[in-house]
Amino acid sequence: MSRTADVMMSDSAGGARPQAVLFDLDNTIYDREAAFGRWLLWFLDEVLKLEDTEERAALTAEITAMDAHGYGSKRAIFQRLHERYPAAPGTPSTSVEAFYEQFFTQMHVEPEARAMLATLSDFHIPYGIVTNGSRVQSRKIAVLGLGDGAACVIVSGLVGCAKPDPEIFALAARKMEMAPSEILFVGDNPRNDIWGARNAGMRTAWLRLGHPWPSDTCGPPPDITLDRIEDLLGVIL
């Protein structure tokens, strides 16, 4: 995640302090891109044992592109890897299972982000997590130690609707026992997180991660734009 502190607020971001905050998980509370990069480095070193610099660079670029920031098929990744390296252990299916076990060891919440969550609790602002994905997301939340402090945890694959569907945001608001307008949603995906939360009636904070706002596809900008998740505190407290 970007380490350049920069916070921008739109004209609509004023008003009362949010009564609750909802967060996306991947690339919001923790740096999923960095974790995947660490896993891939481990895989090249320990499983494929690749030493050729050019081959490592080419494979890193290919697998990173196939991963598509977490949205790509893991089975497709390992089918490709087993095609290129038939001697690699396991099968595509067993390799996907092994991937998650190793990937979990590469995840961590930065101290600044963890301190930010603790500060929200100190100010009696409940927070929750709304994430797309399967029950694997629940395992991530447990491994990262985020479940106990969250007042609301919703995983799309377990509730039958997914971001940007307004229903998943409405479900979170009901679980928080608050009106959507009282909640600030924080996420990195312009469509799934910001566009979806706005359409559900929530205020929004976008973690831009160095990207420009895609106004042509996602409408007006979010209420708050952040470069670092911990900068949220300076805006809402």
Side-chain angles (χ1 to χ4, degrees):
M1 296 185 186
S2 172
R3 291 299 172 191
T4 302
D6 187 18
V7 182
M8 297 190 302
M9 298 178 63
S10 71
D11 292 338
S12 61
R17 185 178 76 184
Q19 298 302 299
V21 181
L22 289 171
F23 294 93
D24 172 49
L25 178 63
D26 296 300
N27 286 327
T28 298
I29 295 182
Y30 86 103
D31 192 337
R32 193 257 173 208
E33 298 296 290
F36 186 81
R38 289 190 291 269
W39 168 81
L40 185 52
L41 180 62
W42 171 85
F43 189 83
L44 296 180
D45 288 342
E46 302 300 328
V47 178
L48 298 183
K49 302 185 185 302
L50 293 184
E51 297 182 356
D52 183 87
T53 301
E54 291 186 3
E55 184 178 5
R56 287 173 65 96
L59 186 59
T60 296
E62 179 180 6
I63 298 306
T64 300
M66 291 184 69
D67 178 61
H69 308 292
Y71 291 96
S73 166
K74 304 303 175 290
R75 184 176 181 85
I77 287 174
F78 284 101
Q79 284 177 331
R80 176 60 176 151
L81 286 169
H82 280 275
E83 289 171 0
R84 287 192 59 172
Y85 303 98
T91 66
S93 294
T94 59
S95 294
V96 170
E97 296 174 6
F99 160 76
Y100 282 114
E101 294 305 320
Q102 179 59 30
F103 179 74
F104 291 157
T105 70
Q106 306 296 340
M107 302 185 311
H108 65 265
V109 178
E110 295 289 346
E112 297 86 353
R114 203 172 289 280
M116 179 270 300
L117 296 176
T119 300
L120 290 178
S121 296
D122 290 343
F123 277 81
H124 305 290
I125 300 176
Y127 65 86
I129 299 170
V130 180
T131 178
N132 282 355
S134 68
R135 64 180 64 253
V136 168
Q137 298 298 88
S138 296
R139 293 175 61 192
K140 288 182 183 178
I141 291 167
V143 169
L144 291 168
L146 295 170
D148 291 342
C152 168
V153 174
I154 296 180
V155 176
S156 69
L158 304 181
V159 299
C161 54
K163 299 179 293 183
D165 186 342
E167 179 53 31
I168 196 169
F169 299 97
L171 175 60
R174 292 194 295 270
K175 286 186 174 293
M176 301 290 273
E177 298 183 342
M178 293 182 185
S181 60
E182 297 178 301
I183 300 172
L184 177 71
F185 194 93
V186 184
D188 71 295
N189 188 291
R191 181 171 178 81
N192 287 351
D193 296 326
I194 307 306
W195 186 82
R198 184 200 298 115
N199 287 345
M202 295 180 180
R203 284 183 280 176
T204 57
W206 178 47
L207 190 62
R208 63 183 171 185
L209 304 179
H211 301 296
W213 177 254
S215 58
D216 56 332
T217 57
C218 294
D223 298 306
I224 300 167
T225 298
L226 304 169
D227 272 339
R228 303 184 309 174
I229 191 69
E230 61 265 30
D231 289 332
L232 179 67
L233 297 176
V235 178
I236 69 171
L237 296 184

